[in-house]
Amino acid sequence: MRRFVRHEFARIVPSFLRFSTLARQYPGSMHGYHADPRPVFGAQARNRVLCRVSGPHGAARAEPRGMLPPVTDGSSKIERGGGDTFTRVYRSLRQSLVAGTASPGDQIVVTEVAKGLRVSPTPVREALARLVGEGLVEDRRRHGYFVPLLSWFDLLELYDLCEALILAALRDARDRGAPPAIDAAPMSDHARTPQSFGVQLTTLLSLSRNARLLAAGRLQVDCLSGAIRIDARLYGDSSDRIQLSEMVAAGNWRAALQYVRREFRRRRSRAESVAFAMAAAHRAKNRANIV
């Protein structure tokens, strides 16, 4: 019996003390006010300030400063601007990575990016965390964020995944029956650019109506953007975009599928030299910065 009493006493007393602490921090909580149920201690408890916010039926309730009241409609969240800033920073960073503003292996300094975009470092870190999850940025603990320096095996895996998604998009367009018309002008306009192969892959992905397949394919193409530039610098652009657009427009899906397999087979055979060239360029850049 004594053991049971001691057990119940040890279980109930901490809860009572916690409730007493909350009651002292939020004196209005016993009179119909709504208080934050999370316990706060130390300097955070001393610095927390309560503000009066009108609640339902005109009643007032207490809310800690810095915590927004519940969002009642979609416009309130947009007015606060949190999502807009994050989206703008995320898109800007992703476009810069795909465009090659930073070379593979370069470090991404949060403060410099925030200063360039005229935002606080918080949305920059959030955008970088999302890019890390997508594979476009590498997070090295206690060192910072870096542009991924892809190895030979990384390139082989990305080429295999990208090929599977492109073939799935072509099969999806073929199964629908009516081949969509592809404008060859965008492909020919990028015929001399280092990212022409990436533009071609994105155009093929757009043939599919599967939104998830399109998003996954574009992500893999963006991850390959650095390797595509190095490959074009070493070997030039051997792909024929005009011929491929004619195949798809004519509904010659078999020839288009064979073309995609042949092109990725060629890319895989050059993956080792492309990875070596990226690593050599990164080492040369580091030596130049040291000197």
Side-chain angles (χ1 to χ4, degrees), residues 89-111:
V89 173
Y90 168 76
R91 290 179 178 175
S92 178
L93 286 174
R94 183 163 178 171
Q95 291 173 0
S96 299
L97 292 171
V98 174
T101 305
S103 303
D106 289 352
Q107 185 176 7
I108 303 175
V109 183
V110 175
T111 55

Side-chain angles (χ1 to χ4, degrees), residues 19-291:
F19 177 80
S20 301
T21 303
L22 290 174
R24 288 194 300 271
Q25 293 175 4
Y26 308 107
S29 60
M30 302 299 294
H31 302 280
Y33 288 88
H34 171 73
D36 187 0
R38 295 174 295 181
V40 183
F41 306 96
Q44 187 177 0
R46 291 192 298 270
N47 296 331
R48 176 162 290 191
V49 181
L50 296 179
C51 59
R52 299 293 292 274
V53 182
S54 59
H57 310 294
R61 58 188 175 87
E63 290 246 358
R65 179 176 295 178
M67 293 186 64
L68 298 176
V71 180
T72 56
D73 56 345
S75 60
S76 300
K77 188 174 184 179
I78 296 176
E79 290 173 0
R80 295 180 186 121
D84 291 343
T85 303
F86 168 78
T87 303
R88 180 167 60 90
V89 173
Y90 168 76
R91 290 179 178 175
S92 178
L93 286 174
R94 183 163 178 171
Q95 291 173 0
S96 299
L97 292 171
V98 174
T101 305
S103 303
D106 289 352
Q107 185 176 7
I108 303 175
V109 183
V110 175
T111 55
E112 294 181 0
V113 175
K115 184 178 180 180
L117 297 177
R118 297 181 180 180
V119 296
S120 65
T122 300
V124 176
R125 292 191 182 94
E126 293 176 353
L128 288 173
R130 180 174 176 180
L131 292 170
V132 168
E134 294 175 346
L136 292 170
V137 174
E138 180 182 358
D139 183 9
R140 302 178 187 175
R141 295 305 179 107
R142 294 184 295 274
H143 293 283
Y145 298 96
F146 292 82
V147 181
L149 187 62
L150 300 177
S151 64
W152 177 23
F153 299 102
D154 294 332
L155 290 179
L156 292 178
E157 291 178 352
L158 286 173
Y159 281 139
D160 289 342
L161 181 56
C162 193
E163 179 185 4
L165 293 172
I166 297 294
L167 295 177
L170 290 176
R171 294 191 185 99
D172 184 28
R174 178 194 60 187
D175 296 340
R176 290 201 311 269
I182 293 184
D183 187 7
M187 291 187 176
S188 60
D189 292 341
H190 293 81
R192 300 298 180 182
T193 61
Q195 284 290 5
S196 58
F197 184 62
V199 174
Q200 177 185 3
L201 297 181
T202 304
T203 305
L204 294 177
L205 287 168
S206 63
L207 298 176
S208 175
R209 294 182 181 177
N210 190 328
R212 294 183 181 273
L213 189 151
L214 177 60
R218 286 179 175 174
L219 176 59
Q220 304 310 317
V221 173
D222 291 347
C223 291
L224 285 170
S225 58
I228 292 174
R229 283 191 297 270
I230 297 295
D231 189 282
R233 190 182 309 166
L234 294 177
Y235 301 99
D237 189 12
S238 59
S239 57
D240 191 350
R241 280 152 300 283
I242 307 299
Q243 181 181 0
L244 178 61
S245 62
E246 293 176 353
M247 294 177 187
V248 176
N252 192 354
W253 300 109
R254 181 177 181 182
L257 292 171
Q258 292 177 354
Y259 170 85
V260 171
R261 294 191 185 97
R262 182 172 62 252
E263 185 64 29
F264 275 99
R265 192 182 308 116
R266 185 185 298 113
R267 300 274 171 170
R268 280 191 292 267
S269 64
R270 304 191 298 231
E272 183 178 5
S273 58
V274 170
F276 179 81
M278 286 193 295
H282 177 61
R283 288 193 298 267
K285 188 174 182 179
N286 285 342
R287 285 196 297 267
N289 293 334
I290 293 175
V291 174

